[in-house]
Amino acid sequence: MAEPTPLAATDPSLLYPSPFREFCKAFASNRGALGGLAFLLLIVFCALFAPWVAPHDPSEQYRDFLLTPPAWLDAGQAQFLLGTDELGRDLLSRLIHGARLSLLIGLASVAMSLIPGVLLGLLAGFSPRLLGPSIMRLMDIMLALPSLLLAVAIVAILGPGLINTVIAIAIVSLPAYVRLTRASVMVEVQRDYVTAARLAGAGLPRLMFVTVLPNCMAPLIVQATLSFSSAILDAAALGFLGLGVQPPTPEWGTMLASARDYIERAWWVVSLPGLTILLSVLAINLMGDGLRDALDPKLKNAA
Amino acid sequence: MLSFIARRLGLLIPTFFGVTLLTFALIRLIPGDPVEVMMGERRVDPQMHAEAMHRLGLDKPLYAQYLDYIGALSHGDLGQSLRSQESVWREFLALFPATLELAFAALIFASVLGLGAGVVAALRRGSAIDHGVMGLALTGYSMPIFWWGLVLIMFFSVYLGWTPVSDRLDLLFDVPPVTGFMLIDTLLSDEDGAFLDALRHLILPAIVLGTIPLAVIARMTRSAMLEVLREDYVRTARAKGLSPTRVVVVHALRNALIPVLTVFGLQVGALLAGAVLTETIFSWPGIGKWLIEAIGARDYPVVQNGILLIACLVILVNFVVDILYGLVNPRIRHQR
């Protein structure tokens, strides 16, 4: 008999592509997602190196240059690229420093809702009798309140500020993670590999975290990006309502709130912070769409 | 169908009690002394303090306080505003039509444009129109609407001078409130031009509030239409020689509407949350602005029961949507 040809086994084109490479390929073919990623990286860079990137100190008040228009307009000053605000502070520097806060609030609130959300979801999925339904009822109640309103109520109780903003947003985005985790756990628990692990004597913690959880990650990653962008929006909305991070901290929403009075004579103090919020949120959402399509092709056309 | 409604109603009751627990807890979670916070000063005279605690029932054990709260609610007593001494329920009723009118206008704007854009994008899949519509929809979905409102005011009110900046009607007009809906009241009154003025006041806030629902409805309609257009019955209808319009509108769109209907229900909560921001920007005298002002003034009875009323509203709307969904789609009705 002929010897088995070793060629077929080593020919890389005949092997299954690794899941990671498949994901990268799918993600890279989505131009919108790449654009979003590029913009997000720019913001992350600005946030990390804000003191070196920003041309001025964000709270330095140049009293001779109140409400200076952006540099490309007639009255603009070359040293204030995007103009100054009502106290003569450089707008570009404030936006760059604001990126720190927005990203920080986004990351912190995602972490603070993702971890307890996944834990509760796992518990709910693994105990379908008593604990599960009671957790889900609690989440239903939280979902009965519009998220921004609940966040407003929480901040109204705890008082405005950075940390309370993060807590409020984390609480508001908790139910989505619980529901999502529970739904995927309920599907996975029925699978044979879970039964096999159980028969092999795996304990409950092992079943939860090692066997089942890694197979529920795809929708959770997508949800994390989406709630990252909505955390930035909600934080800005709270700041705009005067309930978020307090002035003079350069937060994008808070900047808009104080700019409202200059709507008739200084369009740049109103437009630019909002445009920054819009572009950042849009970039993250584009990336989220790309992630969803790449991780879970089944969902490709879902809204 | 009746048992379906009964089952859904049964789920409603624990949710309602849960929400009352939540609003009850809100007041008790205020750090520090609620009386001092409500009176807005520290070191209140001890006797006055004890009286206030007793009057508010805060000296009783927690479970008795909760029972008191539920008892008052069951009598329809939602407490009084600390600022105006007016009953919270009356204030809510007086302001609610303004929010309802705004929300209706926003929803009409969003659904007409959203359904149209979604259908066109689905029919021209992969074309420049499709990409354009979907790009715009994602932009709308990412929109900080409080900023969007400011931009629209800046352009249409300040620069072009077409629309007024705030409120529901010009002070020149004296329109008696009949229904609370300004568009209807101005039609009923004999003031010339009042209706057009009310419309001019409504249009920008409605666009702002409708932007995110518009984006969601457009995305949802597109994906539902794409799904439906692949179905055999659409091919059959085409093969029968029906006109393309008839195939799209009667055969495809009607079935694509089912998932879109659920989105409507989900958007009600989003609309009420958006109303908070929209009403603040446009000084629209509705419940969103009322709540934010109450929070600013630490008017806790208004905050507590205003939130309770809004939560009940959202629960009710979702219940109605559930029932409608069961009516439209029998498969849902028989699920357990």
Side-chain angles (χ1 to χ4, degrees):
Chain A
M1 293 305 267
E3 286 189 7
T5 46
L7 256 179
T10 50
D11 183 0
S13 65
L14 293 181
L15 293 173
Y16 280 113
S18 83
F20 182 70
R21 285 183 76 189
E22 264 213 315
F23 163 75
C24 289
K25 220 175 130 192
F27 190 81
S29 67
N30 186 334
R31 259 181 289 163
L34 280 184
L37 183 66
F39 190 79
L40 188 68
L41 287 179
L42 176 75
I43 296 174
V44 170
F45 175 81
C46 286
L48 283 178
F49 301 102
W52 296 279
V53 176
H56 297 276
D57 185 282
S59 42
E60 172 89 52
Q61 302 180 0
Y62 296 91
R63 290 299 172 125
D64 300 334
F65 299 101
L66 302 185
L67 292 174
T68 310
W72 62 86
L73 291 182
D74 287 344
Q77 294 277 336
Q79 56 166 327
F80 303 117
L81 208 54
L82 297 181
T84 60
D85 66 3
E86 70 277 11
L87 295 174
R89 295 172 295 195
D90 180 42
L91 214 54
L92 178 61
S93 307
R94 288 180 72 71
L95 288 177
I96 290 175
H97 279 266
R100 289 191 145 183
L101 275 174
S102 291
L103 291 186
L104 182 75
I105 293 174
L107 277 181
S109 57
V110 166
M112 279 179 57
S113 53
L114 178 71
I115 296 168
V118 167
L119 281 178
L120 284 173
L122 280 171
L123 280 177
F126 270 93
S127 50
R129 299 210 170 211
L130 199 65
L131 188 60
S134 13
I135 293 177
M136 296 323 287
R137 270 289 86 74
L138 193 68
M139 294 303 128
D140 281 353
I141 292 163
M142 288 171 69
L143 281 175
L145 281 169
S147 69
L148 182 68
L149 210 60
L150 185 57
V152 163
I154 294 169
V155 174
I157 299 300
L158 297 176
L162 176 67
I163 296 177
N164 292 342
T165 304
V166 171
I167 295 176
I169 294 172
I171 294 179
V172 164
S173 33
L174 186 69
Y177 289 108
V178 179
R179 292 191 128 190
L180 217 53
T181 314
R182 175 174 168 271
S184 349
V185 167
M186 302 269 274
V187 174
E188 295 296 323
V189 170
Q190 313 280 334
R191 298 270 165 89
D192 287 343
Y193 75 92
V194 179
T195 318
R198 198 171 261 157
L199 286 176
L204 190 61
R206 191 181 167 83
L207 275 180
M208 277 183 177
F209 295 102
V210 182
T211 314
V212 171
L213 185 58
N215 292 301
C216 307
M217 285 315 283
L220 286 173
I221 293 173
V222 175
Q223 177 62 32
T225 27
L226 292 181
S227 72
F228 185 59
S229 66
S230 66
I232 292 179
L233 267 185
D234 282 353
L238 285 175
F240 179 75
L241 291 172
L243 296 166
V245 182
Q246 294 299 295
T249 320
E251 200 271 334
W252 294 339
T254 317
M255 284 169 74
L256 269 177
S258 54
R260 269 172 84 183
D261 303 334
Y262 305 94
I263 195 167
E264 291 187 21
R265 44 204 186 93
W267 59 265
W268 56 95
V269 281
V270 181
S271 321
L272 298 176
L275 201 61
T276 318
I277 302 174
L278 172 62
L279 289 178
S280 324
V281 173
L282 184 60
I284 298 169
N285 283 342
L286 276 170
M287 225 183 68
D289 272 13
L291 274 179
R292 187 191 57 198
D293 293 351
L295 284 173
D296 204 345
K298 275 176 296 183
L299 292 174
K300 195 145 196 168
N301 286 314
Chain B
M1 191 66 208
L2 270 180
S3 83
F4 170 73
I5 294 180
R7 245 186 357 250
R8 292 290 149 138
L9 262 178
L11 280 178
L12 224 56
I13 294 164
T15 314
F16 172 76
F17 278 102
V19 171
T20 59
L21 259 178
L22 195 82
T23 52
F24 173 77
L26 272 181
I27 293 283
R28 274 84 200 160
L29 284 175
I30 303 171
D33 184 335
V35 172
E36 281 183 7
V37 171
M38 283 183 202
M39 293 190 167
E41 54 187 288
R42 290 177 181 279
R43 308 252 170 270
V44 185
D45 171 48
Q47 199 188 338
M48 262 176 71
H49 185 274
E51 265 173 29
M53 285 294 266
H54 184 71
R55 184 162 44 83
L56 296 168
L58 291 174
D59 51 350
K60 294 185 198 167
L62 267 187
Y63 72 89
Q65 287 182 35
Y66 180 67
L67 289 181
D68 280 356
Y69 180 52
I70 293 291
L73 284 184
S74 65
H75 289 104
D77 175 12
L78 293 171
Q80 287 176 338
S81 157
L82 293 180
R83 287 170 301 166
S84 62
Q85 303 299 326
E86 181 84 51
S87 103
V88 172
W89 177 238
R90 282 249 192 84
E91 283 196 346
F92 178 85
L93 277 190
L95 297 172
F96 185 57
T99 301
L100 205 60
E101 185 176 36
L102 178 58
F104 264 132
L107 209 53
I108 290 171
F109 163 75
S111 43
V112 170
L113 265 180
L115 282 176
V119 169
V120 169
L123 291 179
R124 301 258 178 284
R125 185 181 192 183
S127 70
I129 299 178
D130 182 22
H131 288 301
V133 166
M134 284 304 102
L136 278 181
L138 196 67
T139 312
Y141 186 70
S142 313
M143 189 65 84
I145 62 166
F146 45 98
W147 174 70
W148 182 223
L150 291 179
V151 169
L152 289 181
I153 289 179
M154 212 156 62
F155 189 70
F156 288 104
S157 308
V158 177
Y159 183 68
L160 292 175
W162 287 358
T163 54
V165 178
S166 64
D167 221 331
R168 299 176 74 188
L169 194 66
D170 202 286
L171 289 174
L172 289 172
F173 298 108
D174 177 32
V175 174
V178 184
T179 56
F181 293 99
M182 202 50 93
L183 287 182
I184 300 175
D185 284 354
T186 47
L187 275 184
L188 292 177
S189 78
D190 41 13
E191 297 264 1
D192 271 345
F195 176 74
L196 280 181
D197 189 64
L199 199 62
R200 288 222 321 268
H201 277 87
L202 181 62
I203 199 152
L204 282 192
I207 290 176
V208 168
L209 187 55
T211 298
I212 289 180
L214 165 64
V216 175
I217 290 174
R219 278 162 71 103
M220 198 68 206
T221 310
R222 175 179 177 269
S223 66
M225 275 300 278
L226 284 179
E227 198 96 334
V228 169
L229 284 176
R230 256 182 259 143
E231 297 281 346
D232 287 340
Y233 57 78
V234 171
R235 196 186 321 158
T236 312
R238 284 213 176 105
K240 274 200 303 188
L242 295 180
S243 75
T245 328
R246 195 178 158 82
V247 174
V248 169
V249 176
V250 179
H251 292 251
L253 186 59
R254 227 177 110 187
N255 286 295
L257 274 180
I258 296 177
V260 177
L261 193 68
T262 354
V263 177
F264 263 73
L266 291 175
Q267 285 304 306
V268 171
L271 271 178
L272 285 170
V276 171
L277 293 167
T278 313
E279 290 176 4
T280 309
I281 302 166
F282 290 95
S283 305
W284 188 265
I287 49 174
K289 185 165 165 275
W290 175 58
L291 270 181
I292 290 295
E293 283 172 358
I295 286 172
R298 297 181 175 271
D299 192 341
Y300 284 105
V302 170
V303 177
Q304 183 182 29
N305 292 317
I307 286 176
L308 177 69
L309 285 170
I310 289 182
C312 290
L313 206 66
V314 174
I315 295 174
L316 260 177
V317 171
N318 282 336
F319 172 70
V320 172
V321 170
D322 258 6
I323 301 293
L324 280 180
Y325 205 51
L327 274 178
V328 178
N329 188 348
R331 278 167 292 184
I332 301 284
R333 208 185 307 161
H334 297 295
Q335 255 172 23
R336 288 191 54 84

